[in-house]
Amino acid sequence: NNPDNVLGCWVINHNFNGNKTNDDIVIEGSYDVNIWYSYDNDTKTTVVTKNITYTEEEKLNIPEQGISNKDIIIRSLKQPSCISAKEENNIINLEIEKELGIEIIGDTKVKISLVDEDETWDILDEKQTEEIEKINNIQSIKDSEEKKGRSI
């Protein structure tokens, strides 16, 4: 059946997986595209289903040293959808859009340098501690009253 007009297009059954090979992440996947179109001078319609497969390679841009036990997680950030379907010379041209995200989770070693500095601390006696607490309580009451619109 030669198509006259494309009446609709939808994408279902998206499946994919990813593997690390050398310095690349290879993602292999597939989805089904259902195309609804009219034919016979727009007097009849039908739906045709086509399975589309794809392979994508993404460069891994992280240094290898110091990272071990890597897990690679591929997520679909935007499911495949048909953004354009046009009939030209009895051929239906589709534009499918999708978005995948790659997460790399692993163990790494981090070197942290510590600087040992002796700071001098004043030791407060009980009377000084009580005075500081009084000042903090007075300030807290003052702040609370100002929020209520009252003045002290």
Side-chain angles (χ1 to χ4, degrees):
N1 300 331
N2 292 332
D4 292 329
N5 286 305
V6 176
L7 304 173
C9 178
W10 60 98
V11 182
I12 59 173
N13 301 327
H14 184 214
N15 297 302
F16 57 90
N17 62 36
N19 296 303
K20 182 180 179 296
T21 58
N22 300 326
D23 290 336
D24 295 335
I25 304 289
V26 178
I27 303 168
E28 295 176 334
S30 67
Y31 48 84
D32 294 332
V33 177
N34 296 293
I35 305 163
W36 178 35
Y37 66 93
S38 66
Y39 63 97
D40 199 16
N41 291 322
D42 290 328
T43 59
K44 299 177 183 174
T45 66
T46 191
V47 174
V48 65
T49 300
K50 179 153 177 74
N51 182 268
I52 307 290
T53 60
Y54 64 90
T55 301
E56 296 181 12
E57 290 186 28
E58 296 294 327
K59 286 282 184 208
L60 189 61
N61 292 325
I62 59 170
E64 287 292 321
Q65 66 273 16
I67 299 176
S68 61
N69 300 326
K70 280 188 239 169
D71 287 329
I72 297 169
I73 300 170
I74 313 291
R75 297 184 198 275
S76 179
L77 303 177
K78 181 178 181 189
Q79 288 293 332
S81 62
C82 182
I83 59 172
S84 173
K86 296 178 185 171
E87 182 277 328
E88 294 176 21
N89 301 322
N90 294 326
I91 296 173
I92 297 175
N93 294 313
L94 303 174
E95 188 175 347
I96 306 291
E97 180 180 72
K98 68 176 170 32
E99 187 175 345
L100 300 174
I102 301 172
E103 283 184 60
I104 300 169
I105 301 170
D107 299 331
T108 188
K109 294 178 183 176
V110 178
K111 184 177 181 179
I112 300 173
S113 62
L114 298 175
V115 179
D116 190 21
E117 291 184 18
D118 289 332
E119 288 190 38
T120 57
W121 296 85
D122 294 334
I123 298 174
L124 301 176
D125 61 23
E126 193 172 321
K127 186 175 179 181
Q128 290 172 314
T129 304
E130 287 174 3
E131 285 181 30
I132 291 172
E133 286 177 5
K134 274 186 193 176
I135 291 169
N136 286 339
N137 285 337
I138 291 171
Q139 184 62 43
S140 176
I141 292 169
K142 188 175 181 184
D143 291 343
S144 175
E145 291 298 319
E146 285 177 358
K147 285 181 185 176
K148 293 177 184 176
R150 302 178 194 153
S151 60
I152 296 180

